[in-house]
Amino acid sequence: MTASTDVPIAPDAHPHAATNGSAVAPVATGRAGAKAILLGEHAVVYGRPAIAIPVRALGARAEARPAVAEPRLSSALYHGAISRAPERLGVTLTALSAALEAAGGRAVPVDIAIESSIPAERGLGSSAAVSAAVIEATLRACGVTVDDERLHELIQTAERAAHGSPSGLDARTVRARAAVWFDGGRIEPVSVGRDLTFVIADSGVRGRTREAVAAVAARRHDDPEGVEAALDELGTLATALRRDVSSGARDDIGAAMSRAHVLLDGLGVGDPALDHLVRAAMSAGALGAKLTGGGRGGCVLALAPDLDAAAALSDRLTRAGAAAVWTTTVEGAA
Ligand code: MEV
């Protein structure tokens, strides 16, 4: 079973009135959210399971409207003709092309406007979320509906341009509403026994997922037994974590996160800035803390004992030098 999408793909283009009162071309929108991996990054690339959570405070939104002149792109990185967009927008352009190709005979040239509060290259799913939003908006502008699996494949096409051989975890989680269990390329909802409040701290160092994934592959080539043992342990931790999340065993969840951080560091995807934030989180009372996402920079995810403690934890992480902090609560049954 797949978790429901935030925005089901269905034509929802609606006319926007221009400020002078006349109708302008219909605008179609697409949205997706940020994600944080609770446990299982990198191990998922080798078939182990993972658990990820949506980060509701951050999201990406795209608007598409049929172009009346040369198609344009508007985003924080670039404003101008799509045909002259810089190379660093390659992933977004791949997403746009994939959507137009999927629209087939109904494809129309579109202007695209993108807004995103998800910091790029921080392990929070920015590339997958922006791609998902652009694809949804473009398909809607073309009046085309696709099913969930097709949409996932289109996002994966863009993710492949971002970092080679994505597991699909990011593409799935940026459209999920709740915590998800990812195994064998698919997700299902995770039952959550008690509220879990996390603080996410940005190290300010750009994460390099492509390099990090390549580094794990190289290490696995050089030390297959050592790396397989670490991947197996991450898989075992994820399986146990699912039970702990379900029963609300916060201390055990925290311990699993901290152990995962050590294992990920051993796989070569750590960074001194991440270790520094993990130490700061633990000394401020976090139950566990780890890097989240590709690593080699990016963010740390720390589990707070409760909501009040999360405020103190955020404060401490900011004083420890975090470039930004966010708090997110995964709601439990109790
Ligand atoms: C990146 O957010 C997660 C990784 O496991 C890569 C992937 O799953 O494709 C590092």
Side-chain angles (χ1 to χ4, degrees), residues 244-267:
D244 295 335
V245 167
S246 171
S247 65
R250 291 192 186 112
D251 288 342
D252 293 337
I253 297 168
M257 291 170 67
S258 293
R259 176 66 188 151
H261 183 74
V262 172
L263 290 168
L264 288 165
D265 195 48
L267 289 175

Side-chain angles (χ1 to χ4, degrees), residues 122-270:
R122 297 298 197 278
L124 298 179
S126 167
S127 66
V130 170
S131 296
V134 166
I135 291 165
E136 285 190 340
T138 303
L139 289 172
R140 284 178 170 153
C142 298
V144 170
T145 303
V146 298
D147 67 22
D148 204 58
E149 278 314 298
R150 180 78 176 117
L151 176 59
H152 174 71
E153 241 334 290
L154 294 174
I155 302 168
Q156 280 289 79
T157 302
E159 283 290 274
R160 278 190 276 278
H163 59 91
S165 52
S167 65
L169 174 60
D170 290 15
R172 297 261 186 221
T173 313
V174 296
R175 297 187 301 122
R177 290 177 199 273
V180 293
W181 169 256
F182 180 90
D183 197 9
R186 309 191 71 82
I187 52 171
E188 47 185 88
V190 169
S191 104
V192 181
R194 286 204 292 170
D195 284 3
L196 298 172
T197 298
F198 297 94
V199 176
I200 298 166
D202 181 357
S203 67
V205 177
R206 282 173 175 236
R208 287 153 287 154
T209 301
R210 182 185 281 275
E211 281 176 35
V213 169
V216 175
R219 193 161 291 209
R220 187 164 171 261
H221 181 264
D222 294 345
D223 175 19
E225 279 175 23
V227 169
E228 282 299 317
L231 298 174
D232 280 345
E233 189 176 344
L234 286 164
T236 304
L237 283 172
T239 303
L241 183 68
R242 186 180 191 179
R243 285 194 299 273
D244 295 335
V245 167
S246 171
S247 65
R250 291 192 186 112
D251 288 342
D252 293 337
I253 297 168
M257 291 170 67
S258 293
R259 176 66 188 151
H261 183 74
V262 172
L263 290 168
L264 288 165
D265 195 48
L267 289 175
V269 299

